[in-house]
Amino acid sequence: QVNLVESGGGLVQAGGSLRLSCTASGRTFANSAMGWFRQAPGKEREFVATINWSGQSTYYADPVKGRFTISRDNTKNTVYLQMNSLKPEDTAVYYCAAGRFGYISSWYQQYDHWGQGTQVTVSS
């Protein structure tokens, strides 16, 4: 059984920070790209950030570029999303996902394992 479990979500004021974590169990994802996606109420799931298998390559969606940082620790089978300067429009359920391949991708179809999500709410 492969599981991805997100944590670190919560309620924060605009301008604040949160750090999301996603820990994998069941098998190692050290050879997989990892991604973060989010879904706000009434909206489709959207790409946030991705990191390749080694952690040396990252890519961000324009709305979060310069504010969010994705990183990973393969020894802990964990990927992180540091979110700074949060805005109310960042409010969403955040999902981590493990990719089918080792290279980065913003295309959700390239990810075949998903966590259950963690709620992030940013108040104005």
PDB file of all heavy atoms in Angstrom, residues 36-68:
ATOM      1  N   TRP A  36       3.344  19.529  -6.010  1.00  0.00           N
ATOM      2  CA  TRP A  36       2.269  20.067  -5.182  1.00  0.00           C
ATOM      3  C   TRP A  36       1.236  20.692  -6.117  1.00  0.00           C
ATOM      4  O   TRP A  36       1.594  21.436  -7.048  1.00  0.00           O
ATOM      5  CB  TRP A  36       2.782  21.121  -4.211  1.00  0.00           C
ATOM      6  CG  TRP A  36       3.562  20.577  -3.062  1.00  0.00           C
ATOM      7  CD1 TRP A  36       4.916  20.475  -2.957  1.00  0.00           C
ATOM      8  CD2 TRP A  36       3.031  20.060  -1.831  1.00  0.00           C
ATOM      9  NE1 TRP A  36       5.264  19.934  -1.749  1.00  0.00           N
ATOM     10  CE2 TRP A  36       4.119  19.669  -1.032  1.00  0.00           C
ATOM     11  CE3 TRP A  36       1.739  19.895  -1.323  1.00  0.00           C
ATOM     12  CZ2 TRP A  36       3.965  19.122   0.241  1.00  0.00           C
ATOM     13  CZ3 TRP A  36       1.586  19.367  -0.060  1.00  0.00           C
ATOM     14  CH2 TRP A  36       2.687  18.977   0.702  1.00  0.00           C
ATOM     15  N   PHE A  37      -0.002  20.384  -5.847  1.00  0.00           N
ATOM     16  CA  PHE A  37      -1.134  20.953  -6.560  1.00  0.00           C
ATOM     17  C   PHE A  37      -2.100  21.512  -5.529  1.00  0.00           C
ATOM     18  O   PHE A  37      -1.990  21.205  -4.339  1.00  0.00           O
ATOM     19  CB  PHE A  37      -1.833  19.881  -7.403  1.00  0.00           C
ATOM     20  CG  PHE A  37      -1.012  19.386  -8.571  1.00  0.00           C
ATOM     21  CD1 PHE A  37       0.048  18.514  -8.378  1.00  0.00           C
ATOM     22  CD2 PHE A  37      -1.311  19.784  -9.870  1.00  0.00           C
ATOM     23  CE1 PHE A  37       0.808  18.052  -9.441  1.00  0.00           C
ATOM     24  CE2 PHE A  37      -0.561  19.332 -10.944  1.00  0.00           C
ATOM     25  CZ  PHE A  37       0.509  18.466 -10.719  1.00  0.00           C
ATOM     26  N   ARG A  38      -3.036  22.332  -5.962  1.00  0.00           N
ATOM     27  CA  ARG A  38      -4.035  22.858  -5.033  1.00  0.00           C
ATOM     28  C   ARG A  38      -5.377  22.984  -5.734  1.00  0.00           C
ATOM     29  O   ARG A  38      -5.453  23.096  -6.960  1.00  0.00           O
ATOM     30  CB  ARG A  38      -3.599  24.204  -4.460  1.00  0.00           C
ATOM     31  CG  ARG A  38      -3.531  25.342  -5.466  1.00  0.00           C
ATOM     32  CD  ARG A  38      -2.939  26.589  -4.813  1.00  0.00           C
ATOM     33  NE  ARG A  38      -2.895  27.720  -5.736  1.00  0.00           N
ATOM     34  CZ  ARG A  38      -2.332  28.892  -5.458  1.00  0.00           C
ATOM     35  NH1 ARG A  38      -1.755  29.089  -4.268  1.00  0.00           N
ATOM     36  NH2 ARG A  38      -2.341  29.869  -6.345  1.00  0.00           N
ATOM     37  N   GLN A  39      -6.420  22.964  -4.924  1.00  0.00           N
ATOM     38  CA  GLN A  39      -7.768  23.108  -5.453  1.00  0.00           C
ATOM     39  C   GLN A  39      -8.580  23.973  -4.516  1.00  0.00           C
ATOM     40  O   GLN A  39      -8.787  23.633  -3.344  1.00  0.00           O
ATOM     41  CB  GLN A  39      -8.439  21.747  -5.637  1.00  0.00           C
ATOM     42  CG  GLN A  39      -9.775  21.822  -6.346  1.00  0.00           C
ATOM     43  CD  GLN A  39     -10.274  20.466  -6.804  1.00  0.00           C
ATOM     44  OE1 GLN A  39      -9.825  19.414  -6.329  1.00  0.00           O
ATOM     45  NE2 GLN A  39     -11.200  20.458  -7.747  1.00  0.00           N
ATOM     46  N   ALA A  40      -9.015  25.103  -5.051  1.00  0.00           N
ATOM     47  CA  ALA A  40      -9.869  26.011  -4.302  1.00  0.00           C
ATOM     48  C   ALA A  40     -11.329  25.654  -4.563  1.00  0.00           C
ATOM     49  O   ALA A  40     -11.653  25.045  -5.594  1.00  0.00           O
ATOM     50  CB  ALA A  40      -9.592  27.449  -4.717  1.00  0.00           C
ATOM     51  N   PRO A  41     -12.222  26.037  -3.660  1.00  0.00           N
ATOM     52  CA  PRO A  41     -13.651  25.724  -3.853  1.00  0.00           C
ATOM     53  C   PRO A  41     -14.175  26.249  -5.178  1.00  0.00           C
ATOM     54  O   PRO A  41     -13.945  27.407  -5.540  1.00  0.00           O
ATOM     55  CB  PRO A  41     -14.318  26.439  -2.679  1.00  0.00           C
ATOM     56  CG  PRO A  41     -13.257  26.516  -1.631  1.00  0.00           C
ATOM     57  CD  PRO A  41     -11.979  26.705  -2.381  1.00  0.00           C
ATOM     58  N   GLY A  42     -14.821  25.380  -5.918  1.00  0.00           N
ATOM     59  CA  GLY A  42     -15.408  25.775  -7.190  1.00  0.00           C
ATOM     60  C   GLY A  42     -14.428  25.894  -8.335  1.00  0.00           C
ATOM     61  O   GLY A  42     -14.809  26.311  -9.442  1.00  0.00           O
ATOM     62  N   LYS A  43     -13.181  25.536  -8.080  1.00  0.00           N
ATOM     63  CA  LYS A  43     -12.163  25.647  -9.128  1.00  0.00           C
ATOM     64  C   LYS A  43     -11.528  24.285  -9.398  1.00  0.00           C
ATOM     65  O   LYS A  43     -11.612  23.374  -8.590  1.00  0.00           O
ATOM     66  CB  LYS A  43     -11.087  26.656  -8.727  1.00  0.00           C
ATOM     67  CG  LYS A  43     -11.586  28.081  -8.600  1.00  0.00           C
ATOM     68  CD  LYS A  43     -10.441  29.040  -8.365  1.00  0.00           C
ATOM     69  CE  LYS A  43     -10.922  30.481  -8.316  1.00  0.00           C
ATOM     70  NZ  LYS A  43      -9.800  31.433  -8.108  1.00  0.00           N
ATOM     71  N   GLU A  44     -10.883  24.195 -10.550  1.00  0.00           N
ATOM     72  CA  GLU A  44     -10.188  22.971 -10.889  1.00  0.00           C
ATOM     73  C   GLU A  44      -8.863  22.885 -10.140  1.00  0.00           C
ATOM     74  O   GLU A  44      -8.307  23.899  -9.717  1.00  0.00           O
ATOM     75  CB  GLU A  44      -9.942  22.915 -12.403  1.00  0.00           C
ATOM     76  CG  GLU A  44     -11.210  22.784 -13.226  1.00  0.00           C
ATOM     77  CD  GLU A  44     -10.919  22.589 -14.698  1.00  0.00           C
ATOM     78  OE1 GLU A  44      -9.751  22.693 -15.099  1.00  0.00           O
ATOM     79  OE2 GLU A  44     -11.874  22.317 -15.448  1.00  0.00           O
ATOM     80  N   ARG A  45      -8.363  21.658 -10.004  1.00  0.00           N
ATOM     81  CA  ARG A  45      -7.069  21.480  -9.388  1.00  0.00           C
ATOM     82  C   ARG A  45      -6.003  22.130 -10.265  1.00  0.00           C
ATOM     83  O   ARG A  45      -6.019  21.976 -11.485  1.00  0.00           O
ATOM     84  CB  ARG A  45      -6.780  19.991  -9.214  1.00  0.00           C
ATOM     85  CG  ARG A  45      -5.570  19.676  -8.374  1.00  0.00           C
ATOM     86  CD  ARG A  45      -5.482  18.195  -8.065  1.00  0.00           C
ATOM     87  NE  ARG A  45      -6.655  17.707  -7.333  1.00  0.00           N
ATOM     88  CZ  ARG A  45      -6.721  16.514  -6.755  1.00  0.00           C
ATOM     89  NH1 ARG A  45      -5.689  15.689  -6.844  1.00  0.00           N
ATOM     90  NH2 ARG A  45      -7.805  16.146  -6.114  1.00  0.00           N
ATOM     91  N   GLU A  46      -5.082  22.846  -9.639  1.00  0.00           N
ATOM     92  CA  GLU A  46      -4.059  23.538 -10.399  1.00  0.00           C
ATOM     93  C   GLU A  46      -2.664  23.203  -9.877  1.00  0.00           C
ATOM     94  O   GLU A  46      -2.477  22.934  -8.693  1.00  0.00           O
ATOM     95  CB  GLU A  46      -4.269  25.060 -10.368  1.00  0.00           C
ATOM     96  CG  GLU A  46      -4.100  25.701  -9.019  1.00  0.00           C
ATOM     97  CD  GLU A  46      -4.184  27.225  -9.087  1.00  0.00           C
ATOM     98  OE1 GLU A  46      -4.343  27.787 -10.183  1.00  0.00           O
ATOM     99  OE2 GLU A  46      -4.063  27.858  -8.016  1.00  0.00           O
ATOM    100  N   PHE A  47      -1.719  23.259 -10.768  1.00  0.00           N
ATOM    101  CA  PHE A  47      -0.329  23.001 -10.447  1.00  0.00           C
ATOM    102  C   PHE A  47       0.238  24.125  -9.596  1.00  0.00           C
ATOM    103  O   PHE A  47      -0.067  25.301  -9.817  1.00  0.00           O
ATOM    104  CB  PHE A  47       0.466  22.865 -11.743  1.00  0.00           C
ATOM    105  CG  PHE A  47       1.948  22.949 -11.575  1.00  0.00           C
ATOM    106  CD1 PHE A  47       2.660  21.886 -11.060  1.00  0.00           C
ATOM    107  CD2 PHE A  47       2.628  24.101 -11.929  1.00  0.00           C
ATOM    108  CE1 PHE A  47       4.027  21.967 -10.891  1.00  0.00           C
ATOM    109  CE2 PHE A  47       3.993  24.197 -11.783  1.00  0.00           C
ATOM    110  CZ  PHE A  47       4.699  23.127 -11.257  1.00  0.00           C
ATOM    111  N   VAL A  48       1.098  23.757  -8.632  1.00  0.00           N
ATOM    112  CA  VAL A  48       1.753  24.743  -7.781  1.00  0.00           C
ATOM    113  C   VAL A  48       3.280  24.693  -7.970  1.00  0.00           C
ATOM    114  O   VAL A  48       3.896  25.703  -8.281  1.00  0.00           O
ATOM    115  CB  VAL A  48       1.414  24.515  -6.295  1.00  0.00           C
ATOM    116  CG1 VAL A  48       2.195  25.485  -5.413  1.00  0.00           C
ATOM    117  CG2 VAL A  48      -0.087  24.677  -6.067  1.00  0.00           C
ATOM    118  N   ALA A  49       3.862  23.504  -7.764  1.00  0.00           N
ATOM    119  CA  ALA A  49       5.320  23.387  -7.822  1.00  0.00           C
ATOM    120  C   ALA A  49       5.703  21.936  -8.035  1.00  0.00           C
ATOM    121  O   ALA A  49       4.955  21.030  -7.691  1.00  0.00           O
ATOM    122  CB  ALA A  49       5.954  23.914  -6.535  1.00  0.00           C
ATOM    123  N   THR A  50       6.897  21.744  -8.604  1.00  0.00           N
ATOM    124  CA  THR A  50       7.404  20.397  -8.820  1.00  0.00           C
ATOM    125  C   THR A  50       8.907  20.380  -8.621  1.00  0.00           C
ATOM    126  O   THR A  50       9.588  21.404  -8.781  1.00  0.00           O
ATOM    127  CB  THR A  50       7.037  19.883 -10.223  1.00  0.00           C
ATOM    128  OG1 THR A  50       7.563  18.562 -10.408  1.00  0.00           O
ATOM    129  CG2 THR A  50       7.607  20.775 -11.310  1.00  0.00           C
ATOM    130  N   ILE A  51       9.419  19.214  -8.242  1.00  0.00           N
ATOM    131  CA  ILE A  51      10.845  19.044  -8.017  1.00  0.00           C
ATOM    132  C   ILE A  51      11.256  17.690  -8.591  1.00  0.00           C
ATOM    133  O   ILE A  51      10.527  16.709  -8.472  1.00  0.00           O
ATOM    134  CB  ILE A  51      11.162  19.143  -6.506  1.00  0.00           C
ATOM    135  CG1 ILE A  51      12.656  19.151  -6.236  1.00  0.00           C
ATOM    136  CG2 ILE A  51      10.464  18.039  -5.716  1.00  0.00           C
ATOM    137  CD1 ILE A  51      13.003  19.577  -4.806  1.00  0.00           C
ATOM    138  N   ASN A  52      12.434  17.651  -9.205  1.00  0.00           N
ATOM    139  CA  ASN A  52      12.838  16.393  -9.818  1.00  0.00           C
ATOM    140  C   ASN A  52      13.370  15.423  -8.767  1.00  0.00           C
ATOM    141  O   ASN A  52      13.482  15.753  -7.580  1.00  0.00           O
ATOM    142  CB  ASN A  52      13.846  16.626 -10.941  1.00  0.00           C
ATOM    143  CG  ASN A  52      15.253  16.909 -10.420  1.00  0.00           C
ATOM    144  OD1 ASN A  52      15.418  17.497  -9.363  1.00  0.00           O
ATOM    145  ND2 ASN A  52      16.250  16.483 -11.165  1.00  0.00           N
ATOM    146  N   TRP A  53      13.746  14.241  -9.201  1.00  0.00           N
ATOM    147  CA  TRP A  53      14.093  13.176  -8.272  1.00  0.00           C
ATOM    148  C   TRP A  53      15.258  13.537  -7.365  1.00  0.00           C
ATOM    149  O   TRP A  53      15.276  13.155  -6.201  1.00  0.00           O
ATOM    150  CB  TRP A  53      14.417  11.886  -9.041  1.00  0.00           C
ATOM    151  CG  TRP A  53      15.701  11.987  -9.819  1.00  0.00           C
ATOM    152  CD1 TRP A  53      15.856  12.484 -11.083  1.00  0.00           C
ATOM    153  CD2 TRP A  53      17.003  11.615  -9.374  1.00  0.00           C
ATOM    154  NE1 TRP A  53      17.167  12.443 -11.450  1.00  0.00           N
ATOM    155  CE2 TRP A  53      17.904  11.914 -10.427  1.00  0.00           C
ATOM    156  CE3 TRP A  53      17.507  11.061  -8.209  1.00  0.00           C
ATOM    157  CZ2 TRP A  53      19.262  11.670 -10.332  1.00  0.00           C
ATOM    158  CZ3 TRP A  53      18.861  10.797  -8.108  1.00  0.00           C
ATOM    159  CH2 TRP A  53      19.730  11.108  -9.165  1.00  0.00           C
ATOM    160  N   SER A  54      16.214  14.310  -7.877  1.00  0.00           N
ATOM    161  CA  SER A  54      17.411  14.621  -7.099  1.00  0.00           C
ATOM    162  C   SER A  54      17.269  15.898  -6.288  1.00  0.00           C
ATOM    163  O   SER A  54      18.094  16.184  -5.420  1.00  0.00           O
ATOM    164  CB  SER A  54      18.619  14.766  -8.028  1.00  0.00           C
ATOM    165  OG  SER A  54      18.481  15.922  -8.840  1.00  0.00           O
ATOM    166  N   GLY A  55      16.255  16.688  -6.603  1.00  0.00           N
ATOM    167  CA  GLY A  55      16.088  17.965  -5.929  1.00  0.00           C
ATOM    168  C   GLY A  55      16.817  19.108  -6.598  1.00  0.00           C
ATOM    169  O   GLY A  55      16.755  20.238  -6.121  1.00  0.00           O
ATOM    170  N   GLN A  56      17.473  18.832  -7.707  1.00  0.00           N
ATOM    171  CA  GLN A  56      18.291  19.866  -8.343  1.00  0.00           C
ATOM    172  C   GLN A  56      17.504  20.724  -9.324  1.00  0.00           C
ATOM    173  O   GLN A  56      18.000  21.759  -9.779  1.00  0.00           O
ATOM    174  CB  GLN A  56      19.481  19.213  -9.052  1.00  0.00           C
ATOM    175  CG  GLN A  56      20.493  18.600  -8.105  1.00  0.00           C
ATOM    176  CD  GLN A  56      21.698  18.036  -8.821  1.00  0.00           C
ATOM    177  OE1 GLN A  56      21.583  17.576  -9.967  1.00  0.00           O
ATOM    178  NE2 GLN A  56      22.857  18.060  -8.184  1.00  0.00           N
ATOM    179  N   SER A  57      16.317  20.292  -9.661  1.00  0.00           N
ATOM    180  CA  SER A  57      15.514  21.040 -10.624  1.00  0.00           C
ATOM    181  C   SER A  57      14.119  21.265 -10.049  1.00  0.00           C
ATOM    182  O   SER A  57      13.486  20.327  -9.549  1.00  0.00           O
ATOM    183  CB  SER A  57      15.421  20.269 -11.939  1.00  0.00           C
ATOM    184  OG  SER A  57      14.662  20.981 -12.889  1.00  0.00           O
ATOM    185  N   THR A  58      13.675  22.507 -10.116  1.00  0.00           N
ATOM    186  CA  THR A  58      12.336  22.856  -9.624  1.00  0.00           C
ATOM    187  C   THR A  58      11.631  23.744 -10.641  1.00  0.00           C
ATOM    188  O   THR A  58      12.267  24.363 -11.506  1.00  0.00           O
ATOM    189  CB  THR A  58      12.408  23.598  -8.284  1.00  0.00           C
ATOM    190  OG1 THR A  58      13.177  24.800  -8.446  1.00  0.00           O
ATOM    191  CG2 THR A  58      13.031  22.746  -7.198  1.00  0.00           C
ATOM    192  N   TYR A  59      10.322  23.797 -10.502  1.00  0.00           N
ATOM    193  CA  TYR A  59       9.524  24.642 -11.400  1.00  0.00           C
ATOM    194  C   TYR A  59       8.276  25.064 -10.645  1.00  0.00           C
ATOM    195  O   TYR A  59       7.689  24.262  -9.909  1.00  0.00           O
ATOM    196  CB  TYR A  59       9.163  23.866 -12.661  1.00  0.00           C
ATOM    197  CG  TYR A  59       8.326  24.640 -13.651  1.00  0.00           C
ATOM    198  CD1 TYR A  59       8.862  25.714 -14.359  1.00  0.00           C
ATOM    199  CD2 TYR A  59       6.981  24.314 -13.859  1.00  0.00           C
ATOM    200  CE1 TYR A  59       8.079  26.429 -15.254  1.00  0.00           C
ATOM    201  CE2 TYR A  59       6.210  25.017 -14.747  1.00  0.00           C
ATOM    202  CZ  TYR A  59       6.762  26.081 -15.451  1.00  0.00           C
ATOM    203  OH  TYR A  59       5.991  26.794 -16.330  1.00  0.00           O
ATOM    204  N   TYR A  60       7.866  26.327 -10.847  1.00  0.00           N
ATOM    205  CA  TYR A  60       6.749  26.879 -10.095  1.00  0.00           C
ATOM    206  C   TYR A  60       5.707  27.501 -11.020  1.00  0.00           C
ATOM    207  O   TYR A  60       6.034  28.039 -12.082  1.00  0.00           O
ATOM    208  CB  TYR A  60       7.250  27.959  -9.132  1.00  0.00           C
ATOM    209  CG  TYR A  60       8.225  27.452  -8.108  1.00  0.00           C
ATOM    210  CD1 TYR A  60       9.595  27.480  -8.355  1.00  0.00           C
ATOM    211  CD2 TYR A  60       7.786  26.951  -6.886  1.00  0.00           C
ATOM    212  CE1 TYR A  60      10.502  27.011  -7.425  1.00  0.00           C
ATOM    213  CE2 TYR A  60       8.690  26.481  -5.942  1.00  0.00           C
ATOM    214  CZ  TYR A  60      10.037  26.511  -6.221  1.00  0.00           C
ATOM    215  OH  TYR A  60      10.924  26.039  -5.289  1.00  0.00           O
ATOM    216  N   ALA A  61       4.475  27.472 -10.559  1.00  0.00           N
ATOM    217  CA  ALA A  61       3.431  28.218 -11.242  1.00  0.00           C
ATOM    218  C   ALA A  61       3.672  29.707 -11.022  1.00  0.00           C
ATOM    219  O   ALA A  61       4.160  30.112  -9.960  1.00  0.00           O
ATOM    220  CB  ALA A  61       2.068  27.808 -10.699  1.00  0.00           C
ATOM    221  N   ASP A  62       3.305  30.501 -11.985  1.00  0.00           N
ATOM    222  CA  ASP A  62       3.555  31.947 -11.901  1.00  0.00           C
ATOM    223  C   ASP A  62       2.975  32.597 -10.643  1.00  0.00           C
ATOM    224  O   ASP A  62       3.635  33.449 -10.036  1.00  0.00           O
ATOM    225  CB  ASP A  62       3.022  32.645 -13.145  1.00  0.00           C
ATOM    226  CG  ASP A  62       3.903  32.420 -14.364  1.00  0.00           C
ATOM    227  OD1 ASP A  62       5.063  31.992 -14.188  1.00  0.00           O
ATOM    228  OD2 ASP A  62       3.426  32.667 -15.489  1.00  0.00           O
ATOM    229  N   PRO A  63       1.762  32.240 -10.205  1.00  0.00           N
ATOM    230  CA  PRO A  63       1.188  32.916  -9.034  1.00  0.00           C
ATOM    231  C   PRO A  63       1.978  32.718  -7.739  1.00  0.00           C
ATOM    232  O   PRO A  63       1.815  33.494  -6.791  1.00  0.00           O
ATOM    233  CB  PRO A  63      -0.208  32.305  -8.908  1.00  0.00           C
ATOM    234  CG  PRO A  63      -0.531  31.810 -10.270  1.00  0.00           C
ATOM    235  CD  PRO A  63       0.772  31.325 -10.816  1.00  0.00           C
ATOM    236  N   VAL A  64       2.817  31.683  -7.670  1.00  0.00           N
ATOM    237  CA  VAL A  64       3.530  31.406  -6.428  1.00  0.00           C
ATOM    238  C   VAL A  64       5.033  31.633  -6.551  1.00  0.00           C
ATOM    239  O   VAL A  64       5.756  31.550  -5.559  1.00  0.00           O
ATOM    240  CB  VAL A  64       3.269  29.971  -5.936  1.00  0.00           C
ATOM    241  CG1 VAL A  64       1.766  29.695  -5.862  1.00  0.00           C
ATOM    242  CG2 VAL A  64       3.960  28.931  -6.803  1.00  0.00           C
ATOM    243  N   LYS A  65       5.480  31.918  -7.744  1.00  0.00           N
ATOM    244  CA  LYS A  65       6.908  32.091  -7.980  1.00  0.00           C
ATOM    245  C   LYS A  65       7.455  33.219  -7.111  1.00  0.00           C
ATOM    246  O   LYS A  65       6.875  34.307  -7.027  1.00  0.00           O
ATOM    247  CB  LYS A  65       7.140  32.384  -9.461  1.00  0.00           C
ATOM    248  CG  LYS A  65       8.522  32.064  -9.971  1.00  0.00           C
ATOM    249  CD  LYS A  65       8.553  32.172 -11.496  1.00  0.00           C
ATOM    250  CE  LYS A  65       7.700  31.116 -12.166  1.00  0.00           C
ATOM    251  NZ  LYS A  65       7.809  31.164 -13.644  1.00  0.00           N
ATOM    252  N   GLY A  66       8.569  32.945  -6.444  1.00  0.00           N
ATOM    253  CA  GLY A  66       9.181  33.936  -5.570  1.00  0.00           C
ATOM    254  C   GLY A  66       8.642  33.921  -4.150  1.00  0.00           C
ATOM    255  O   GLY A  66       9.222  34.547  -3.261  1.00  0.00           O
ATOM    256  N   ARG A  67       7.529  33.215  -3.921  1.00  0.00           N
ATOM    257  CA  ARG A  67       6.940  33.142  -2.575  1.00  0.00           C
ATOM    258  C   ARG A  67       7.005  31.725  -2.007  1.00  0.00           C
ATOM    259  O   ARG A  67       7.131  31.554  -0.794  1.00  0.00           O
ATOM    260  CB  ARG A  67       5.484  33.594  -2.623  1.00  0.00           C
ATOM    261  CG  ARG A  67       5.298  35.024  -3.073  1.00  0.00           C
ATOM    262  CD  ARG A  67       3.830  35.478  -2.919  1.00  0.00           C
ATOM    263  NE  ARG A  67       2.904  34.696  -3.738  1.00  0.00           N
ATOM    264  CZ  ARG A  67       1.884  33.995  -3.244  1.00  0.00           C
ATOM    265  NH1 ARG A  67       1.657  33.970  -1.941  1.00  0.00           N
ATOM    266  NH2 ARG A  67       1.079  33.328  -4.059  1.00  0.00           N
ATOM    267  N   PHE A  68       6.883  30.733  -2.866  1.00  0.00           N
ATOM    268  CA  PHE A  68       6.880  29.333  -2.429  1.00  0.00           C
ATOM    269  C   PHE A  68       8.203  28.674  -2.826  1.00  0.00           C
ATOM    270  O   PHE A  68       8.792  28.992  -3.864  1.00  0.00           O
ATOM    271  CB  PHE A  68       5.740  28.553  -3.086  1.00  0.00           C
ATOM    272  CG  PHE A  68       4.360  28.934  -2.614  1.00  0.00           C
ATOM    273  CD1 PHE A  68       4.119  30.047  -1.833  1.00  0.00           C
ATOM    274  CD2 PHE A  68       3.275  28.147  -2.979  1.00  0.00           C
ATOM    275  CE1 PHE A  68       2.840  30.387  -1.411  1.00  0.00           C
ATOM    276  CE2 PHE A  68       1.989  28.455  -2.577  1.00  0.00           C
ATOM    277  CZ  PHE A  68       1.777  29.583  -1.784  1.00  0.00           C
TER     278      PHE A  68
END
